[in-house]
Amino acid sequence: MLRESQAILIVYSIVSEASFDSVLMRVVHARSILEGRDVPIILVGAKADLENYRQVSSSSGLQLARELGLSAFLECSAKTKYQVDEVFETAVRQMLVEKVEPARSTEADSQRDTEQPTEGSVPEDAEEQREAGIHTEPSGAVQETNPAPRPAARASSSNRCCIII
Ligand SMILES: Nc1nc2c(ncn2[C@@H]2O[C@H](COP(=O)(O)OP(=O)(O)OP(=O)(O)O)[C@@H](O)[C@H]2O)c(=O)[nH]1
């Protein structure tokens, strides 16, 4: 299952430092199974409604995602539904730009592809972060949805997303 995934969500709980500490191990494990395939890995901090019990800051989540070269970082709450849709939308968006099937690009396609803005690594500067799609939510939660640059491609009907909790 993991081997055939086209997007991977690695989920920890913001109220459990132990679950956050296990992220590195889970990313290493996922990458070892992917054997070099460039599959987007998205880091998700769950139980974001439990702000009063928070053990892992949003900035720690974002920093780890950056350090590990992950594709995106978000926090969500299954209980309140906060950003749950965004997690899956991000996964799908990332899958659609992933090299799922080599695109048979036409001249028009290649022209369009080269006109798209180049998305890069996560900047430190606040203004650049805003432009890059990193949002600071009213709750203070940081959402980083800017993907690392990936080749344009076509989605296949058999796209799979694997969630590691
Ligand atoms: N407050 C809150 N509780 C949640 C959320 N998601 C899950 N839970 C609760 O966390 C407990 C475990 O949820 P599960 O869905 O079983 O998750 P799990 O990964 O199997 O279990 P844990 O590792 O114990 O969290 C249950 O009591 C859930 O109701 C959330 O977003 N907010």
Side-chain angles (χ1 to χ4, degrees):
M1 174 65 178
L2 189 58
R3 200 183 310 275
E4 296 164 14
S5 296
Q6 270 120 33
I8 294 175
L9 305 179
I10 294 198
V11 184
Y12 66 91
S13 164
I14 70 153
V15 296
S16 166
E17 204 154 350
S19 75
F20 185 66
D21 289 345
S22 72
V23 167
L24 173 61
M25 184 196 68
R26 290 185 280 158
V27 170
V28 168
H29 175 64
R31 285 183 168 153
S32 73
I33 288 179
L34 292 170
E35 295 175 333
R37 281 180 58 224
D38 190 15
V39 171
I41 300 178
I42 296 154
L43 184 60
V44 180
K47 303 191 183 181
D49 57 291
L50 297 176
E51 191 56 48
N52 292 345
Y53 303 92
R54 179 186 283 277
Q55 292 184 6
V56 184
S57 69
S58 299
S59 54
S60 297
L62 178 58
Q63 190 182 337
L64 185 62
R66 277 191 190 134
E67 283 172 6
L68 297 177
L70 305 186
S71 299
F73 166 69
L74 298 92
E75 290 186 345
C76 74
S77 165
K79 184 175 182 182
T80 65
K81 311 262 189 297
Y82 167 70
Q83 297 218 128
V84 172
D85 288 348
E86 283 80 353
V87 168
F88 290 99
E89 283 165 14
T90 300
V92 170
R93 238 189 342 263
Q94 297 280 330
M95 284 197 293
L96 293 179
V97 293
E98 175 54 39
K99 203 190 295 178
V100 175
E101 284 175 359
R104 244 185 303 155
S105 65
T106 62
E107 206 172 304
D109 280 344
S110 15
Q111 176 69 21
R112 200 167 46 241
D113 289 345
T114 52
E115 284 171 359
Q116 286 170 351
T118 310
E119 291 161 313
S121 58
V122 183
E124 303 287 340
D125 176 75
E127 176 66 13
E128 288 179 20
Q129 284 187 355
R130 190 184 54 72
E131 288 170 5
I134 301 167
H135 310 290
T136 304
E137 300 296 324
S139 64
V142 180
Q143 180 190 1
E144 196 278 284
T145 56
N146 186 46
R150 293 179 185 285
R154 298 281 182 275
S156 102
S157 57
S158 60
N159 282 351
R160 288 164 202 247
C161 177
C162 183
I163 304 175
I164 305 175
I165 300 179

